Amino acid sequence: MGRRPARCYRYCKNKPYPKSRYCRGVPDPKIRIYDLGRKRAHVDDFPFCAHLVSDEKEQLTSEALEAARVSCNKYMVKHSGKDAFHIRMRVHPFHVLRINKMLSCAGADRLQTGMRGAFGKPQGLTARVNIGQVLISVRAREAAANNVVEALRRAKYKFPGRQKVIVSNKWGFTPFTHEEYKKLQAEGKLIPDGCYVKTIPTKGPIEKAYA
């Protein structure tokens, strides 16, 4: 028996049901990679950032997330090169879907119990998303901005419901706008931290400030 179509599991109807010691025999999620491209790029290399944002409260299956990841990555590699961007999948499928399997062969009515003991067996995994939740983030150079927006637009077609592509005013994945980032950088208040930056705190021992 194959997978049910995702329309059967689109809405957040039940309570979250994660994999646990009680919920066993859960299949592995289809999506395994959450960061693609030049993920070790310095924070200064990729100032542009755009997000794919959910506009509905729904469930996105791990198959849909994987399809969107592949689609977005393929477009960016083809049009910008494999080292010109960093894609990050921002949602993880933790909610376990269940299926109450029914037999459809001849003589099934003798074996089936109908709705007796109808709590289903694990069938797949899905991510529960809210309105305004970021699904995919991409950082790149300013020159690749149009390609990033188009890649995210194509990824939208792999999901049910409605999504929006939003161009961020922040510097890459950092919480600072471009103006704030340049100002703090000029003042020497930033400490590079992988994809992000830390700011030098204004509190602490006086000796450190004048070191």
Side-chain angles (χ1 to χ4, degrees):
M1 189 173 175
R3 276 181 65 241
R4 277 185 187 165
R7 64 172 175 267
C8 303
Y9 299 105
R10 182 172 162 186
Y11 300 109
C12 298
K13 287 197 291 192
N14 304 318
K15 292 174 183 172
Y17 186 58
K19 183 179 177 180
S20 67
R21 59 183 173 172
Y22 312 109
C23 171
R24 296 180 299 275
V26 177
D28 289 331
K30 280 283 183 290
I31 184 165
R32 281 306 200 178
I33 300 166
Y34 292 88
D35 281 274
L36 302 104
R38 191 149 71 92
K39 51 187 180 240
R40 291 185 184 278
H42 193 273
V43 67
D44 290 338
D45 294 352
F46 293 153
F48 177 80
C49 180
H51 307 290
L52 185 64
V53 177
S54 174
D55 212 19
E56 286 188 31
K57 186 175 190 286
E58 59 179 351
Q59 298 186 153
L60 303 175
T61 61
S62 63
E63 287 86 356
L65 291 167
E66 173 68 5
R69 179 189 73 82
V70 170
S71 166
C72 190
N73 183 53
K74 200 169 274 186
Y75 188 87
M76 286 304 296
V77 168
K78 186 176 177 184
H79 292 85
S80 295
K82 63 179 172 49
D83 290 332
F85 64 92
H86 173 199
I87 298 172
R88 175 165 285 174
M89 303 299 292
R90 300 281 298 274
V91 289
H92 291 236
F94 290 127
H95 179 72
V96 178
L97 301 174
R98 298 189 296 263
I99 183 168
N100 180 25
K101 277 189 182 166
M102 294 283 188
L103 300 171
S104 55
C105 54
D109 50 339
R110 297 174 193 210
L111 309 168
Q112 266 180 337
T113 54
M115 289 304 288
R116 180 184 296 170
F119 195 86
K121 297 278 184 289
Q123 188 218 8
L125 288 148
T126 189
R128 294 159 74 89
V129 301
N130 281 308
I131 295 170
Q133 187 170 345
V134 178
L135 307 178
I136 307 173
S137 295
V138 184
R139 65 186 182 121
R141 297 188 186 95
E142 292 287 356
N146 292 339
N147 290 340
V148 171
V149 171
E150 176 61 15
L152 290 174
R153 190 191 70 82
R154 288 177 177 226
K156 279 203 299 189
Y157 293 110
K158 307 298 177 187
F159 293 130
R162 183 186 292 178
Q163 292 81 30
K164 289 178 179 173
V165 176
I166 293 178
V167 174
S168 173
N169 64 351
K170 303 285 192 282
W171 184 286
F173 291 164
T174 68
F176 306 112
T177 63
H178 285 243
E179 293 76 30
E180 288 170 346
Y181 186 88
K182 285 173 183 170
K183 183 169 176 274
L184 289 166
Q185 197 174 38
E187 291 169 1
K189 290 185 178 177
L190 294 179
I191 307 166
D193 186 33
C195 304
Y196 306 94
V197 284
K198 290 177 179 173
T199 50
I200 294 171
T202 51
K203 297 182 178 180
I206 293 174
E207 306 85 67
K208 274 193 178 179
Y210 294 102

PDB file of all heavy atoms in Angstrom, residues 4 8-18 57-59 95-100 118-120 126-129:
ATOM      1  N   ARG A   4      -0.370   7.866   1.375  1.00  0.00           N
ATOM      2  CA  ARG A   4      -1.578   8.655   1.131  1.00  0.00           C
ATOM      3  C   ARG A   4      -1.157  10.016   0.611  1.00  0.00           C
ATOM      4  O   ARG A   4      -0.089  10.501   0.975  1.00  0.00           O
ATOM      5  CB  ARG A   4      -2.340   8.843   2.435  1.00  0.00           C
ATOM      6  CG  ARG A   4      -3.229   7.683   2.795  1.00  0.00           C
ATOM      7  CD  ARG A   4      -4.028   8.036   4.024  1.00  0.00           C
ATOM      8  NE  ARG A   4      -4.764   6.890   4.502  1.00  0.00           N
ATOM      9  CZ  ARG A   4      -5.322   6.836   5.715  1.00  0.00           C
ATOM     10  NH1 ARG A   4      -5.189   7.856   6.534  1.00  0.00           N
ATOM     11  NH2 ARG A   4      -5.990   5.771   6.088  1.00  0.00           N
ATOM     12  N   CYS A   8      -4.446  14.523   2.813  1.00  0.00           N
ATOM     13  CA  CYS A   8      -5.042  13.816   3.957  1.00  0.00           C
ATOM     14  C   CYS A   8      -4.446  14.305   5.283  1.00  0.00           C
ATOM     15  O   CYS A   8      -5.040  14.093   6.341  1.00  0.00           O
ATOM     16  CB  CYS A   8      -4.802  12.312   3.844  1.00  0.00           C
ATOM     17  SG  CYS A   8      -5.412  11.584   2.332  1.00  0.00           S
ATOM     18  N   TYR A   9      -3.267  14.915   5.228  1.00  0.00           N
ATOM     19  CA  TYR A   9      -2.554  15.295   6.455  1.00  0.00           C
ATOM     20  C   TYR A   9      -2.182  16.779   6.452  1.00  0.00           C
ATOM     21  O   TYR A   9      -1.224  17.173   7.098  1.00  0.00           O
ATOM     22  CB  TYR A   9      -1.278  14.452   6.589  1.00  0.00           C
ATOM     23  CG  TYR A   9      -1.532  12.968   6.676  1.00  0.00           C
ATOM     24  CD1 TYR A   9      -1.289  12.131   5.586  1.00  0.00           C
ATOM     25  CD2 TYR A   9      -2.017  12.409   7.842  1.00  0.00           C
ATOM     26  CE1 TYR A   9      -1.512  10.767   5.670  1.00  0.00           C
ATOM     27  CE2 TYR A   9      -2.251  11.043   7.948  1.00  0.00           C
ATOM     28  CZ  TYR A   9      -2.000  10.230   6.855  1.00  0.00           C
ATOM     29  OH  TYR A   9      -2.233   8.883   6.949  1.00  0.00           O
ATOM     30  N   ARG A  10      -2.942  17.573   5.726  1.00  0.00           N
ATOM     31  CA  ARG A  10      -2.530  18.968   5.549  1.00  0.00           C
ATOM     32  C   ARG A  10      -2.743  19.816   6.802  1.00  0.00           C
ATOM     33  O   ARG A  10      -1.966  20.722   7.090  1.00  0.00           O
ATOM     34  CB  ARG A  10      -3.312  19.556   4.377  1.00  0.00           C
ATOM     35  CG  ARG A  10      -2.920  20.983   4.075  1.00  0.00           C
ATOM     36  CD  ARG A  10      -3.556  21.481   2.805  1.00  0.00           C
ATOM     37  NE  ARG A  10      -3.528  22.930   2.748  1.00  0.00           N
ATOM     38  CZ  ARG A  10      -4.099  23.652   1.814  1.00  0.00           C
ATOM     39  NH1 ARG A  10      -4.730  23.056   0.839  1.00  0.00           N
ATOM     40  NH2 ARG A  10      -4.037  24.952   1.832  1.00  0.00           N
ATOM     41  N   TYR A  11      -3.814  19.543   7.550  1.00  0.00           N
ATOM     42  CA  TYR A  11      -4.168  20.433   8.657  1.00  0.00           C
ATOM     43  C   TYR A  11      -3.675  19.912  10.004  1.00  0.00           C
ATOM     44  O   TYR A  11      -3.598  18.704  10.211  1.00  0.00           O
ATOM     45  CB  TYR A  11      -5.689  20.649   8.690  1.00  0.00           C
ATOM     46  CG  TYR A  11      -6.187  21.269   7.406  1.00  0.00           C
ATOM     47  CD1 TYR A  11      -6.933  20.534   6.495  1.00  0.00           C
ATOM     48  CD2 TYR A  11      -5.850  22.580   7.087  1.00  0.00           C
ATOM     49  CE1 TYR A  11      -7.353  21.095   5.302  1.00  0.00           C
ATOM     50  CE2 TYR A  11      -6.256  23.155   5.893  1.00  0.00           C
ATOM     51  CZ  TYR A  11      -7.012  22.406   5.004  1.00  0.00           C
ATOM     52  OH  TYR A  11      -7.403  22.966   3.831  1.00  0.00           O
ATOM     53  N   CYS A  12      -3.365  20.851  10.921  1.00  0.00           N
ATOM     54  CA  CYS A  12      -2.885  20.499  12.262  1.00  0.00           C
ATOM     55  C   CYS A  12      -4.099  20.150  13.135  1.00  0.00           C
ATOM     56  O   CYS A  12      -4.585  20.998  13.892  1.00  0.00           O
ATOM     57  CB  CYS A  12      -2.120  21.671  12.891  1.00  0.00           C
ATOM     58  SG  CYS A  12      -0.649  22.143  11.997  1.00  0.00           S
ATOM     59  N   LYS A  13      -4.572  18.912  13.013  1.00  0.00           N
ATOM     60  CA  LYS A  13      -5.794  18.548  13.725  1.00  0.00           C
ATOM     61  C   LYS A  13      -5.516  17.939  15.090  1.00  0.00           C
ATOM     62  O   LYS A  13      -6.197  18.218  16.052  1.00  0.00           O
ATOM     63  CB  LYS A  13      -6.608  17.549  12.884  1.00  0.00           C
ATOM     64  CG  LYS A  13      -7.262  18.197  11.689  1.00  0.00           C
ATOM     65  CD  LYS A  13      -8.357  17.332  11.120  1.00  0.00           C
ATOM     66  CE  LYS A  13      -7.784  16.078  10.478  1.00  0.00           C
ATOM     67  NZ  LYS A  13      -8.803  15.363   9.683  1.00  0.00           N
ATOM     68  N   ASN A  14      -4.526  17.064  15.154  1.00  0.00           N
ATOM     69  CA  ASN A  14      -4.270  16.365  16.409  1.00  0.00           C
ATOM     70  C   ASN A  14      -3.150  17.020  17.201  1.00  0.00           C
ATOM     71  O   ASN A  14      -2.529  17.981  16.756  1.00  0.00           O
ATOM     72  CB  ASN A  14      -3.918  14.902  16.107  1.00  0.00           C
ATOM     73  CG  ASN A  14      -5.002  14.232  15.296  1.00  0.00           C
ATOM     74  OD1 ASN A  14      -6.178  14.433  15.561  1.00  0.00           O
ATOM     75  ND2 ASN A  14      -4.617  13.462  14.299  1.00  0.00           N
ATOM     76  N   LYS A  15      -2.903  16.478  18.375  1.00  0.00           N
ATOM     77  CA  LYS A  15      -1.806  16.992  19.201  1.00  0.00           C
ATOM     78  C   LYS A  15      -0.483  16.570  18.573  1.00  0.00           C
ATOM     79  O   LYS A  15      -0.440  15.574  17.844  1.00  0.00           O
ATOM     80  CB  LYS A  15      -1.909  16.406  20.605  1.00  0.00           C
ATOM     81  CG  LYS A  15      -3.119  16.920  21.374  1.00  0.00           C
ATOM     82  CD  LYS A  15      -3.252  16.200  22.684  1.00  0.00           C
ATOM     83  CE  LYS A  15      -4.516  16.664  23.405  1.00  0.00           C
ATOM     84  NZ  LYS A  15      -4.793  15.863  24.601  1.00  0.00           N
ATOM     85  N   PRO A  16       0.595  17.297  18.875  1.00  0.00           N
ATOM     86  CA  PRO A  16       1.905  16.862  18.362  1.00  0.00           C
ATOM     87  C   PRO A  16       2.206  15.433  18.836  1.00  0.00           C
ATOM     88  O   PRO A  16       1.951  15.095  19.992  1.00  0.00           O
ATOM     89  CB  PRO A  16       2.878  17.867  18.983  1.00  0.00           C
ATOM     90  CG  PRO A  16       2.051  19.053  19.293  1.00  0.00           C
ATOM     91  CD  PRO A  16       0.681  18.538  19.613  1.00  0.00           C
ATOM     92  N   TYR A  17       2.732  14.626  17.928  1.00  0.00           N
ATOM     93  CA  TYR A  17       2.970  13.206  18.216  1.00  0.00           C
ATOM     94  C   TYR A  17       4.385  12.872  17.765  1.00  0.00           C
ATOM     95  O   TYR A  17       4.596  12.353  16.675  1.00  0.00           O
ATOM     96  CB  TYR A  17       1.916  12.382  17.467  1.00  0.00           C
ATOM     97  CG  TYR A  17       1.913  10.891  17.747  1.00  0.00           C
ATOM     98  CD1 TYR A  17       1.745  10.399  19.030  1.00  0.00           C
ATOM     99  CD2 TYR A  17       2.053   9.982  16.704  1.00  0.00           C
ATOM    100  CE1 TYR A  17       1.722   9.033  19.278  1.00  0.00           C
ATOM    101  CE2 TYR A  17       2.028   8.616  16.935  1.00  0.00           C
ATOM    102  CZ  TYR A  17       1.856   8.149  18.222  1.00  0.00           C
ATOM    103  OH  TYR A  17       1.832   6.797  18.460  1.00  0.00           O
ATOM    104  N   PRO A  18       5.406  13.246  18.573  1.00  0.00           N
ATOM    105  CA  PRO A  18       6.796  13.032  18.133  1.00  0.00           C
ATOM    106  C   PRO A  18       7.243  11.591  18.339  1.00  0.00           C
ATOM    107  O   PRO A  18       6.602  10.821  19.061  1.00  0.00           O
ATOM    108  CB  PRO A  18       7.588  13.980  19.017  1.00  0.00           C
ATOM    109  CG  PRO A  18       6.793  14.059  20.275  1.00  0.00           C
ATOM    110  CD  PRO A  18       5.346  13.895  19.893  1.00  0.00           C
ATOM    111  N   LYS A  57      -1.413  28.010   8.652  1.00  0.00           N
ATOM    112  CA  LYS A  57      -1.118  27.065   9.743  1.00  0.00           C
ATOM    113  C   LYS A  57      -1.449  25.676   9.212  1.00  0.00           C
ATOM    114  O   LYS A  57      -2.615  25.352   8.985  1.00  0.00           O
ATOM    115  CB  LYS A  57      -1.994  27.391  10.951  1.00  0.00           C
ATOM    116  CG  LYS A  57      -1.673  26.579  12.193  1.00  0.00           C
ATOM    117  CD  LYS A  57      -2.513  27.080  13.369  1.00  0.00           C
ATOM    118  CE  LYS A  57      -2.053  26.452  14.677  1.00  0.00           C
ATOM    119  NZ  LYS A  57      -2.449  25.050  14.805  1.00  0.00           N
ATOM    120  N   GLU A  58      -0.410  24.896   8.955  1.00  0.00           N
ATOM    121  CA  GLU A  58      -0.623  23.601   8.302  1.00  0.00           C
ATOM    122  C   GLU A  58       0.527  22.654   8.609  1.00  0.00           C
ATOM    123  O   GLU A  58       1.416  22.978   9.395  1.00  0.00           O
ATOM    124  CB  GLU A  58      -0.764  23.794   6.792  1.00  0.00           C
ATOM    125  CG  GLU A  58       0.455  24.438   6.157  1.00  0.00           C
ATOM    126  CD  GLU A  58       0.343  24.609   4.658  1.00  0.00           C
ATOM    127  OE1 GLU A  58      -0.599  24.084   4.061  1.00  0.00           O
ATOM    128  OE2 GLU A  58       1.221  25.267   4.092  1.00  0.00           O
ATOM    129  N   GLN A  59       0.501  21.484   7.967  1.00  0.00           N
ATOM    130  CA  GLN A  59       1.573  20.506   8.109  1.00  0.00           C
ATOM    131  C   GLN A  59       2.242  20.296   6.758  1.00  0.00           C
ATOM    132  O   GLN A  59       1.570  20.148   5.750  1.00  0.00           O
ATOM    133  CB  GLN A  59       1.000  19.185   8.634  1.00  0.00           C
ATOM    134  CG  GLN A  59       0.376  19.326   9.998  1.00  0.00           C
ATOM    135  CD  GLN A  59      -0.076  18.012  10.610  1.00  0.00           C
ATOM    136  OE1 GLN A  59      -0.131  17.909  11.824  1.00  0.00           O
ATOM    137  NE2 GLN A  59      -0.422  17.035   9.808  1.00  0.00           N
ATOM    138  N   HIS A  95       6.661  15.656  13.736  1.00  0.00           N
ATOM    139  CA  HIS A  95       5.322  15.108  14.016  1.00  0.00           C
ATOM    140  C   HIS A  95       5.114  13.827  13.215  1.00  0.00           C
ATOM    141  O   HIS A  95       5.306  13.805  12.001  1.00  0.00           O
ATOM    142  CB  HIS A  95       4.274  16.162  13.648  1.00  0.00           C
ATOM    143  CG  HIS A  95       2.862  15.722  13.866  1.00  0.00           C
ATOM    144  ND1 HIS A  95       2.321  15.581  15.107  1.00  0.00           N
ATOM    145  CD2 HIS A  95       1.899  15.376  12.982  1.00  0.00           C
ATOM    146  CE1 HIS A  95       1.059  15.174  14.989  1.00  0.00           C
ATOM    147  NE2 HIS A  95       0.787  15.046  13.713  1.00  0.00           N
ATOM    148  N   VAL A  96       4.721  12.757  13.889  1.00  0.00           N
ATOM    149  CA  VAL A  96       4.538  11.453  13.232  1.00  0.00           C
ATOM    150  C   VAL A  96       3.101  11.324  12.731  1.00  0.00           C
ATOM    151  O   VAL A  96       2.150  11.570  13.482  1.00  0.00           O
ATOM    152  CB  VAL A  96       4.864  10.301  14.206  1.00  0.00           C
ATOM    153  CG1 VAL A  96       4.637   8.948  13.545  1.00  0.00           C
ATOM    154  CG2 VAL A  96       6.300  10.415  14.704  1.00  0.00           C
ATOM    155  N   LEU A  97       2.960  10.952  11.454  1.00  0.00           N
ATOM    156  CA  LEU A  97       1.633  10.714  10.865  1.00  0.00           C
ATOM    157  C   LEU A  97       1.253   9.253  11.078  1.00  0.00           C
ATOM    158  O   LEU A  97       2.104   8.368  11.044  1.00  0.00           O
ATOM    159  CB  LEU A  97       1.663  11.009   9.360  1.00  0.00           C
ATOM    160  CG  LEU A  97       2.059  12.428   8.965  1.00  0.00           C
ATOM    161  CD1 LEU A  97       2.190  12.523   7.459  1.00  0.00           C
ATOM    162  CD2 LEU A  97       1.035  13.428   9.464  1.00  0.00           C
ATOM    163  N   ARG A  98      -0.041   9.025  11.251  1.00  0.00           N
ATOM    164  CA  ARG A  98      -0.513   7.651  11.461  1.00  0.00           C
ATOM    165  C   ARG A  98      -1.462   7.235  10.346  1.00  0.00           C
ATOM    166  O   ARG A  98      -2.119   8.073   9.733  1.00  0.00           O
ATOM    167  CB  ARG A  98      -1.244   7.534  12.805  1.00  0.00           C
ATOM    168  CG  ARG A  98      -0.392   7.835  13.997  1.00  0.00           C
ATOM    169  CD  ARG A  98      -1.122   7.489  15.276  1.00  0.00           C
ATOM    170  NE  ARG A  98      -2.302   8.300  15.481  1.00  0.00           N
ATOM    171  CZ  ARG A  98      -2.348   9.398  16.233  1.00  0.00           C
ATOM    172  NH1 ARG A  98      -1.264   9.816  16.824  1.00  0.00           N
ATOM    173  NH2 ARG A  98      -3.469  10.071  16.384  1.00  0.00           N
ATOM    174  N   ILE A  99      -1.551   5.932  10.117  1.00  0.00           N
ATOM    175  CA  ILE A  99      -2.492   5.394   9.132  1.00  0.00           C
ATOM    176  C   ILE A  99      -3.134   4.130   9.701  1.00  0.00           C
ATOM    177  O   ILE A  99      -2.452   3.256  10.247  1.00  0.00           O
ATOM    178  CB  ILE A  99      -1.778   5.097   7.785  1.00  0.00           C
ATOM    179  CG1 ILE A  99      -2.765   4.599   6.751  1.00  0.00           C
ATOM    180  CG2 ILE A  99      -0.609   4.141   7.946  1.00  0.00           C
ATOM    181  CD1 ILE A  99      -2.208   4.551   5.339  1.00  0.00           C
ATOM    182  N   ASN A 100      -4.459   4.082   9.638  1.00  0.00           N
ATOM    183  CA  ASN A 100      -5.193   2.890  10.051  1.00  0.00           C
ATOM    184  C   ASN A 100      -5.409   2.055   8.792  1.00  0.00           C
ATOM    185  O   ASN A 100      -6.332   2.292   8.016  1.00  0.00           O
ATOM    186  CB  ASN A 100      -6.528   3.297  10.690  1.00  0.00           C
ATOM    187  CG  ASN A 100      -7.332   2.095  11.148  1.00  0.00           C
ATOM    188  OD1 ASN A 100      -6.765   1.037  11.421  1.00  0.00           O
ATOM    189  ND2 ASN A 100      -8.644   2.254  11.220  1.00  0.00           N
ATOM    190  N   ALA A 118      -8.880   1.705  16.256  1.00  0.00           N
ATOM    191  CA  ALA A 118      -8.566   2.454  15.030  1.00  0.00           C
ATOM    192  C   ALA A 118      -7.318   3.322  15.132  1.00  0.00           C
ATOM    193  O   ALA A 118      -6.999   4.035  14.194  1.00  0.00           O
ATOM    194  CB  ALA A 118      -9.757   3.327  14.642  1.00  0.00           C
ATOM    195  N   PHE A 119      -6.604   3.292  16.266  1.00  0.00           N
ATOM    196  CA  PHE A 119      -5.378   4.101  16.393  1.00  0.00           C
ATOM    197  C   PHE A 119      -4.333   3.547  15.429  1.00  0.00           C
ATOM    198  O   PHE A 119      -3.941   2.390  15.517  1.00  0.00           O
ATOM    199  CB  PHE A 119      -4.863   4.038  17.836  1.00  0.00           C
ATOM    200  CG  PHE A 119      -3.843   5.088  18.150  1.00  0.00           C
ATOM    201  CD1 PHE A 119      -4.220   6.345  18.567  1.00  0.00           C
ATOM    202  CD2 PHE A 119      -2.488   4.815  18.036  1.00  0.00           C
ATOM    203  CE1 PHE A 119      -3.279   7.312  18.869  1.00  0.00           C
ATOM    204  CE2 PHE A 119      -1.540   5.778  18.335  1.00  0.00           C
ATOM    205  CZ  PHE A 119      -1.937   7.028  18.752  1.00  0.00           C
ATOM    206  N   GLY A 120      -3.902   4.394  14.482  1.00  0.00           N
ATOM    207  CA  GLY A 120      -3.087   3.916  13.369  1.00  0.00           C
ATOM    208  C   GLY A 120      -1.625   3.659  13.704  1.00  0.00           C
ATOM    209  O   GLY A 120      -1.142   3.970  14.796  1.00  0.00           O
ATOM    210  N   THR A 126       6.041  14.799   9.454  1.00  0.00           N
ATOM    211  CA  THR A 126       5.631  16.098   8.929  1.00  0.00           C
ATOM    212  C   THR A 126       6.074  17.205   9.883  1.00  0.00           C
ATOM    213  O   THR A 126       6.306  16.949  11.062  1.00  0.00           O
ATOM    214  CB  THR A 126       4.096  16.124   8.732  1.00  0.00           C
ATOM    215  OG1 THR A 126       3.715  17.293   8.045  1.00  0.00           O
ATOM    216  CG2 THR A 126       3.368  16.085  10.048  1.00  0.00           C
ATOM    217  N   ALA A 127       6.173  18.412   9.341  1.00  0.00           N
ATOM    218  CA  ALA A 127       6.521  19.581  10.162  1.00  0.00           C
ATOM    219  C   ALA A 127       5.265  20.426  10.338  1.00  0.00           C
ATOM    220  O   ALA A 127       4.549  20.680   9.375  1.00  0.00           O
ATOM    221  CB  ALA A 127       7.608  20.396   9.472  1.00  0.00           C
ATOM    222  N   ARG A 128       4.997  20.834  11.560  1.00  0.00           N
ATOM    223  CA  ARG A 128       3.829  21.684  11.832  1.00  0.00           C
ATOM    224  C   ARG A 128       4.292  23.141  11.770  1.00  0.00           C
ATOM    225  O   ARG A 128       5.184  23.536  12.515  1.00  0.00           O
ATOM    226  CB  ARG A 128       3.256  21.356  13.205  1.00  0.00           C
ATOM    227  CG  ARG A 128       2.686  19.950  13.270  1.00  0.00           C
ATOM    228  CD  ARG A 128       2.604  19.451  14.685  1.00  0.00           C
ATOM    229  NE  ARG A 128       1.532  20.063  15.454  1.00  0.00           N
ATOM    230  CZ  ARG A 128       0.284  19.574  15.516  1.00  0.00           C
ATOM    231  NH1 ARG A 128      -0.040  18.490  14.863  1.00  0.00           N
ATOM    232  NH2 ARG A 128      -0.628  20.175  16.246  1.00  0.00           N
ATOM    233  N   VAL A 129       3.698  23.921  10.872  1.00  0.00           N
ATOM    234  CA  VAL A 129       4.143  25.314  10.689  1.00  0.00           C
ATOM    235  C   VAL A 129       3.011  26.292  10.971  1.00  0.00           C
ATOM    236  O   VAL A 129       1.837  25.971  10.792  1.00  0.00           O
ATOM    237  CB  VAL A 129       4.723  25.559   9.268  1.00  0.00           C
ATOM    238  CG1 VAL A 129       5.907  24.655   9.012  1.00  0.00           C
ATOM    239  CG2 VAL A 129       3.673  25.374   8.197  1.00  0.00           C
TER     240      VAL A 129
END
